[in-house]
Amino acid sequence: MFYYKNILVDKKERIRNALSCVFPINRIILSKRSDNPERRILLGYLIYMFIGFLLLMLPVSRNTDAGWLDNLFTAVSAMSTTGLATLDIPATYTIFGQCVILLLIQIGGIGYMTMSSYIFFRISHHAGGGSRFLIDSSFSRPDGMPLRDLVSNIIHFTFIFELLGFLSFFFALHHAGVPLAGWNALFLSISSFCTAGFSPFSDSLCGFSDNIAINLTVAVLSYAGAMGFIVITDILYKIRKRGYSLTFTTRVIMIVTAIMTVGGTLILYFSPTMSTVHGWGDRMLMSFFQTMSAMTTVGFNTVDLGALKVGPILVFSLIMFIGASPSGTGGGVKSTSVSAVWGFVISKLGLRNKVTFLGREIPHYRVDTALTSIIVYGVMIFLGCIVLSYCEPFPLSQILFEASSAIGTVGLSTGITPALSVAGKITIIVLMYVGRIGVITFGTALLGRLKGKKRDRPRKEDLAA
């Protein structure tokens, strides 16, 4: 018995050593015992962002001088897969600096805990205690979906989609005569699938607004990343297993995604902003792409968002607020949360105790999480708008758009990001960071200590509503 116990301990130690070589930060995070995994997730992202910031501060990373705050802004934006930038990325950073940004995007897109958990599964055929707690805190998954399958599919599908995207971008850019087609294709592929919105071109993708191949490749990669690995895994099960039915989560994600895509496209198509675009085909393509970009939180733009009127700005702020889907690379409060809250509202108005959506009963703990997420997201956007309105001279509609884009990790902007003051940049940095780790994780990390404190049993009192 003692012999086999030593073998098991030695095997776990070898796993940790392997992880410390590939992901040295995980050695610190996993080895720290805590009953609050959310706090360890918060710390892990902070460490990676700080390392990225230090690398971008190196002279070899930059073509021109850039202040420390702008480099920090870029590192946080990349790690949070947002895409907002105070600098011209291809003009400011060298290929080495862009590689640092791309690495931060990749780590932030799939989650810094995912790769280490994948290595745990491959070596030991099970997840360690710390790893399992952290990955459970990082991903929302429906009951019955194995954690190991989800983690494996995240890694496999990430690199499959990025490889296919690279090939498609390479041929399209090479055909268009773009220099450094290989590097630009790789950058665009990773940025698109991770819904980061960083572009190797100074005008985002405005120069390719009528290029169908590039537009559709970005859309396919962004939808795949934003709809989430739950949907991809579920569809894979459907293909492999005869008689398998898609989960309710997947069906809700598909329905909400379709509604937001069609609705946003039509609203932008008939807006005055698009009246200058000649030809209904180009107008429809640009309207679809910009709606997709906001909904998947990929953050590329092919139109001048600074020319948007107040109406479309509010609509797109709402789309960015809703965002993508759970267990994906996108941000926002998630389509499933909005669905759960919508079912809650309809059930309460109908004086029903059970919360239903599309004829299915939703567990109360899912509704509670969705309500908490939407309320905290709304409060964070409200506080961000208050701070920005005091320190920035821009209209409230543009400030709301910027705050929604930051906490939703979208990256779209009406053009005010480079002109933000020091206080404004710090505010956006905080919103991007909170948006990446999630408001629930952020709140639990800060307030988790209350769980362990003994408190007197509160007395029940009525509260009129």
Side-chain angles (χ1 to χ4, degrees), residues 47-58 67-73 75-76 100 104:
I47 294 175
Y48 275 108
M49 289 174 180
F50 184 69
I51 291 176
F53 160 69
L54 293 179
L55 291 175
L56 292 179
M57 288 292 292
L58 297 175
W68 68 268
L69 185 57
D70 291 322
N71 285 314
L72 177 62
F73 192 102
V76 174
V100 172
L104 290 174

Short mmCIF file of all heavy atoms in Angstrom, two decimals, residues 47-58 67-73 75-76 100 104:
data_model
loop_
_atom_site.label_atom_id
_atom_site.label_comp_id
_atom_site.label_asym_id
_atom_site.label_seq_id
_atom_site.Cartn_x
_atom_site.Cartn_y
_atom_site.Cartn_z
N ILE A 47 -1.81 38.28 -12.76
CA ILE A 47 -0.39 37.97 -12.95
C ILE A 47 -0.04 37.92 -14.43
O ILE A 47 0.97 38.48 -14.87
CB ILE A 47 -0.04 36.63 -12.26
CG1 ILE A 47 -0.18 36.77 -10.74
CG2 ILE A 47 1.37 36.20 -12.63
CD1 ILE A 47 0.02 35.48 -9.99
N TYR A 48 -0.88 37.25 -15.23
CA TYR A 48 -0.61 37.16 -16.67
C TYR A 48 -0.67 38.53 -17.33
O TYR A 48 0.14 38.85 -18.22
CB TYR A 48 -1.60 36.21 -17.34
CG TYR A 48 -1.18 34.77 -17.26
CD1 TYR A 48 -1.84 33.86 -16.44
CD2 TYR A 48 -0.12 34.30 -18.03
CE1 TYR A 48 -1.45 32.53 -16.37
CE2 TYR A 48 0.28 32.98 -17.97
CZ TYR A 48 -0.39 32.10 -17.14
OH TYR A 48 0.00 30.79 -17.07
N MET A 49 -1.63 39.37 -16.92
CA MET A 49 -1.70 40.73 -17.47
C MET A 49 -0.45 41.53 -17.13
O MET A 49 0.07 42.27 -17.97
CB MET A 49 -2.95 41.44 -16.92
CG MET A 49 -4.25 40.91 -17.47
SD MET A 49 -5.69 41.67 -16.67
CE MET A 49 -7.04 40.84 -17.55
N PHE A 50 0.04 41.37 -15.90
CA PHE A 50 1.24 42.11 -15.48
C PHE A 50 2.47 41.63 -16.25
O PHE A 50 3.31 42.44 -16.66
CB PHE A 50 1.45 41.94 -13.98
CG PHE A 50 2.60 42.73 -13.43
CD1 PHE A 50 2.53 44.11 -13.36
CD2 PHE A 50 3.76 42.10 -13.01
CE1 PHE A 50 3.60 44.86 -12.88
CE2 PHE A 50 4.83 42.83 -12.51
CZ PHE A 50 4.75 44.22 -12.45
N ILE A 51 2.58 40.33 -16.49
CA ILE A 51 3.71 39.81 -17.27
C ILE A 51 3.65 40.35 -18.70
O ILE A 51 4.66 40.76 -19.28
CB ILE A 51 3.71 38.27 -17.27
CG1 ILE A 51 4.04 37.74 -15.87
CG2 ILE A 51 4.70 37.72 -18.28
CD1 ILE A 51 3.97 36.24 -15.76
N GLY A 52 2.44 40.35 -19.29
CA GLY A 52 2.28 40.91 -20.63
C GLY A 52 2.65 42.38 -20.67
O GLY A 52 3.29 42.85 -21.63
N PHE A 53 2.27 43.12 -19.65
CA PHE A 53 2.62 44.54 -19.55
C PHE A 53 4.14 44.72 -19.52
O PHE A 53 4.69 45.60 -20.21
CB PHE A 53 1.96 45.14 -18.31
CG PHE A 53 2.58 46.42 -17.82
CD1 PHE A 53 2.46 47.58 -18.55
CD2 PHE A 53 3.30 46.45 -16.62
CE1 PHE A 53 3.04 48.77 -18.11
CE2 PHE A 53 3.87 47.62 -16.18
CZ PHE A 53 3.74 48.78 -16.92
N LEU A 54 4.85 43.92 -18.72
CA LEU A 54 6.30 44.04 -18.63
C LEU A 54 6.96 43.72 -19.97
O LEU A 54 7.92 44.40 -20.37
CB LEU A 54 6.84 43.09 -17.55
CG LEU A 54 6.46 43.42 -16.10
CD1 LEU A 54 7.06 42.39 -15.15
CD2 LEU A 54 6.91 44.83 -15.71
N LEU A 55 6.46 42.73 -20.68
CA LEU A 55 7.02 42.39 -21.99
C LEU A 55 6.79 43.50 -23.00
O LEU A 55 7.66 43.78 -23.83
CB LEU A 55 6.42 41.07 -22.48
CG LEU A 55 6.82 39.81 -21.71
CD1 LEU A 55 6.05 38.60 -22.22
CD2 LEU A 55 8.32 39.57 -21.81
N LEU A 56 5.62 44.12 -22.96
CA LEU A 56 5.34 45.21 -23.90
C LEU A 56 6.16 46.46 -23.57
O LEU A 56 6.34 47.32 -24.44
CB LEU A 56 3.85 45.54 -23.89
CG LEU A 56 2.91 44.48 -24.46
CD1 LEU A 56 1.46 44.93 -24.36
CD2 LEU A 56 3.27 44.17 -25.92
N MET A 57 6.65 46.58 -22.34
CA MET A 57 7.47 47.72 -21.97
C MET A 57 8.91 47.60 -22.49
O MET A 57 9.65 48.58 -22.51
CB MET A 57 7.51 47.87 -20.44
CG MET A 57 6.21 48.38 -19.83
SD MET A 57 5.86 50.10 -20.27
CE MET A 57 7.18 50.95 -19.39
N LEU A 58 9.31 46.40 -22.92
CA LEU A 58 10.66 46.20 -23.43
C LEU A 58 10.85 46.97 -24.73
O LEU A 58 9.95 47.04 -25.57
CB LEU A 58 10.92 44.71 -23.66
CG LEU A 58 10.89 43.79 -22.44
CD1 LEU A 58 11.05 42.34 -22.86
CD2 LEU A 58 11.98 44.20 -21.44
N GLY A 67 3.65 55.24 -23.50
CA GLY A 67 3.61 55.38 -22.05
C GLY A 67 3.24 54.07 -21.37
O GLY A 67 2.65 53.18 -21.98
N TRP A 68 3.59 54.00 -20.09
CA TRP A 68 3.31 52.76 -19.35
C TRP A 68 1.81 52.48 -19.27
O TRP A 68 1.40 51.32 -19.33
CB TRP A 68 3.90 52.86 -17.94
CG TRP A 68 3.21 53.87 -17.04
CD1 TRP A 68 3.54 55.18 -16.87
CD2 TRP A 68 2.06 53.63 -16.22
NE1 TRP A 68 2.68 55.79 -16.00
CE2 TRP A 68 1.76 54.86 -15.58
CE3 TRP A 68 1.27 52.51 -15.95
CZ2 TRP A 68 0.70 54.99 -14.69
CZ3 TRP A 68 0.21 52.65 -15.07
CH2 TRP A 68 -0.08 53.88 -14.45
N LEU A 69 0.99 53.53 -19.17
CA LEU A 69 -0.44 53.31 -19.07
C LEU A 69 -1.01 52.74 -20.36
O LEU A 69 -1.89 51.87 -20.34
CB LEU A 69 -1.15 54.62 -18.70
CG LEU A 69 -2.66 54.53 -18.45
CD1 LEU A 69 -2.96 53.52 -17.34
CD2 LEU A 69 -3.23 55.90 -18.10
N ASP A 70 -0.50 53.21 -21.50
CA ASP A 70 -0.96 52.69 -22.79
C ASP A 70 -0.54 51.23 -22.96
O ASP A 70 -1.30 50.41 -23.50
CB ASP A 70 -0.41 53.53 -23.93
CG ASP A 70 -1.03 54.92 -23.99
OD1 ASP A 70 -2.24 55.03 -23.73
OD2 ASP A 70 -0.30 55.88 -24.27
N ASN A 71 0.66 50.87 -22.51
CA ASN A 71 1.09 49.48 -22.58
C ASN A 71 0.27 48.59 -21.65
O ASN A 71 -0.07 47.46 -22.00
CB ASN A 71 2.58 49.37 -22.22
CG ASN A 71 3.48 49.84 -23.34
OD1 ASN A 71 3.30 49.49 -24.50
ND2 ASN A 71 4.46 50.67 -23.01
N LEU A 72 -0.04 49.10 -20.47
CA LEU A 72 -0.90 48.35 -19.55
C LEU A 72 -2.29 48.18 -20.15
O LEU A 72 -2.88 47.10 -20.07
CB LEU A 72 -0.98 49.08 -18.20
CG LEU A 72 -1.90 48.45 -17.15
CD1 LEU A 72 -1.41 47.05 -16.78
CD2 LEU A 72 -1.99 49.33 -15.91
N PHE A 73 -2.80 49.24 -20.74
CA PHE A 73 -4.11 49.19 -21.39
C PHE A 73 -4.12 48.10 -22.47
O PHE A 73 -5.06 47.30 -22.56
CB PHE A 73 -4.43 50.55 -22.00
CG PHE A 73 -5.85 50.72 -22.46
CD1 PHE A 73 -6.76 51.44 -21.69
CD2 PHE A 73 -6.30 50.17 -23.66
CE1 PHE A 73 -8.08 51.60 -22.11
CE2 PHE A 73 -7.60 50.32 -24.08
CZ PHE A 73 -8.51 51.04 -23.30
N ALA A 75 -2.11 45.44 -22.75
CA ALA A 75 -1.97 44.11 -22.16
C ALA A 75 -3.29 43.62 -21.57
O ALA A 75 -3.68 42.46 -21.77
CB ALA A 75 -0.89 44.13 -21.07
N VAL A 76 -3.99 44.49 -20.85
CA VAL A 76 -5.29 44.10 -20.27
C VAL A 76 -6.30 43.86 -21.37
O VAL A 76 -7.09 42.90 -21.31
CB VAL A 76 -5.78 45.19 -19.30
CG1 VAL A 76 -7.19 44.87 -18.81
CG2 VAL A 76 -4.83 45.34 -18.13
N VAL A 100 3.60 38.99 -28.46
CA VAL A 100 3.19 39.04 -27.05
C VAL A 100 1.69 39.26 -26.96
O VAL A 100 0.98 38.59 -26.19
CB VAL A 100 3.95 40.16 -26.31
CG1 VAL A 100 3.39 40.34 -24.91
CG2 VAL A 100 5.44 39.84 -26.26
N LEU A 104 -1.14 36.65 -25.41
CA LEU A 104 -2.10 37.05 -24.38
C LEU A 104 -3.53 36.79 -24.85
O LEU A 104 -4.38 36.34 -24.06
CB LEU A 104 -1.93 38.54 -24.05
CG LEU A 104 -0.66 38.94 -23.31
CD1 LEU A 104 -0.57 40.46 -23.18
CD2 LEU A 104 -0.59 38.28 -21.94
#
